[in-house]
Amino acid sequence: MALILVRYGEVAIKGGAGTRSRMERLLMHNILSGLRGGIGIGAKAIRSQGRLFVEVPDDRVKESVDLISRVFGVKSLSPVRAYVFKELNDIVNAAVKEWGDLVRGGRRFAVRVHRVGSQNFTSMDVAKAVGAALKPFSAGVDLERPDIVLFIEVRGDNAYLFTEVINGPGGLPLGSEGRLLALISGGFDSPVAAWFMMRRGGSYVDALFCSLAYPIDVINFLRVSHALFSRWSIGYDPRLFIIDCSPLISEFRAKANPHMWSALFKRVLYEVASRVARTIGALGGLVTGESLGQVSSQTLHNLMAIEHGVDMPIYRPLIGLIRTT
Amino acid sequence: MDYARRIGTYEESMRTEEFCAIFSEKPRTRVTIDELDGEFKKLDQNLINNLLNSIVTLRASAAGKVIDELMLGTSDVEIDHVPRTPWSLT
């Protein structure tokens, strides 16, 4: 079995021990159910002093790393080799065994050590000893611009050796907050807005789509939803709601002022969405991809008029962002 | 945009973007609450309920399969409950 070390900075510093423990369990659950449900890997996870260690089969490390790097709450991760040591020299031997070949061929390297617990040596001692032992194999030590960085994390009587640090999305574990309903149009902005709320708010996000040109627009909505949720909603299978909004077209043509059609459409959409949200218990509110000035109808005035009468929060995480094409 | 690329929705959104230009008849930029409420009240009072009755629900994990069915024009499987009226454009 291979071991993956998972760091989760923000979860670890949250609130009291109760909140933290709940978040850690949620994070573990999301990782394990993602590995099992997503790519059929039966894994084990162990919690240890603000870190998670996930055990996966040796030949599935790459896929596992790819999946875990998309789990919200994960700050970064590294495939590691674990060694139990008695004295400093054991770590040095382990490093030579792991990395002797790696630094060969004219490569310059650096050793970075992180140490937790009480040992009779310092991080610097480890770095110096390992550096000295590996130097003969290599083109020398270069702490400024190394070709390869060798990391050692010492915890109690365990040493974890790794060379890669892969970034995760950060944020909070999905499910640690409430439930939101995202209005997805299939354009660029709304899926990004949903993603922001999933990451930052740790919320389960379901999606609602208002179809005006079935089936082509529904197909596009499903494609976008699939791209978003299959990659990112790890540990939760979102519900997708599709509404046939085509009756609006004739209704608007017959009765409404054409210059207000787009605002009126939104008004109707918010009304419908807030009712659906209440029905499914998405009481956290709605998420939209609106951004000020993105289209001529997305003004402060219009947003105020559109959301009048909607009795739940509307989150617009893109509101102040500038879109670059 | 950069986020859409990072998230992996960029390619898919590319197909849709600017597609929803149906209501693009010179939109007003300063609609007031009262004006919009006035327009809203002109609409059929059953409109919202009728829209809600047309809801189709599925799980995101079934999206791929439903896309295939829609492309083939045989979409009646894997949908939790079927709309009362078939999809149609007025």
Side-chain angles (χ1 to χ4, degrees), chain A residues 32-99:
Chain A
L32 293 180
S33 77
L35 287 171
R36 194 176 48 246
I39 49 182
I41 293 178
K44 278 198 304 189
I46 306 142
R47 252 194 295 181
S48 164
Q49 301 166 318
R51 297 273 198 263
L52 284 184
F53 291 95
V54 182
E55 217 177 62
V56 300
D58 287 314
D59 58 342
R60 311 291 303 271
V61 175
K62 206 163 179 272
E63 301 151 82
S64 303
V65 165
D66 177 58
L67 186 129
I68 299 171
S69 74
R70 284 181 273 114
V71 173
F72 295 117
V74 171
K75 189 182 149 212
S76 67
L77 64 158
S78 301
V80 299
R81 299 281 285 188
Y83 287 88
V84 178
F85 68 88
K86 284 205 179 69
E87 51 186 31
L88 177 55
N89 207 38
D90 297 337
I91 300 179
V92 175
N93 290 336
V96 171
K97 184 175 159 223
E98 283 296 323
W99 293 329

Side-chain angles (χ1 to χ4, degrees), chain B residues 2-19:
Chain B
D2 294 343
Y3 272 104
R5 280 201 188 85
R6 177 180 161 197
I7 294 166
T9 53
Y10 185 86
E11 295 297 321
E12 307 306 334
S13 292
M14 210 51 182
R15 303 165 185 254
T16 323
E17 189 70 346
E18 311 313 335
F19 172 73

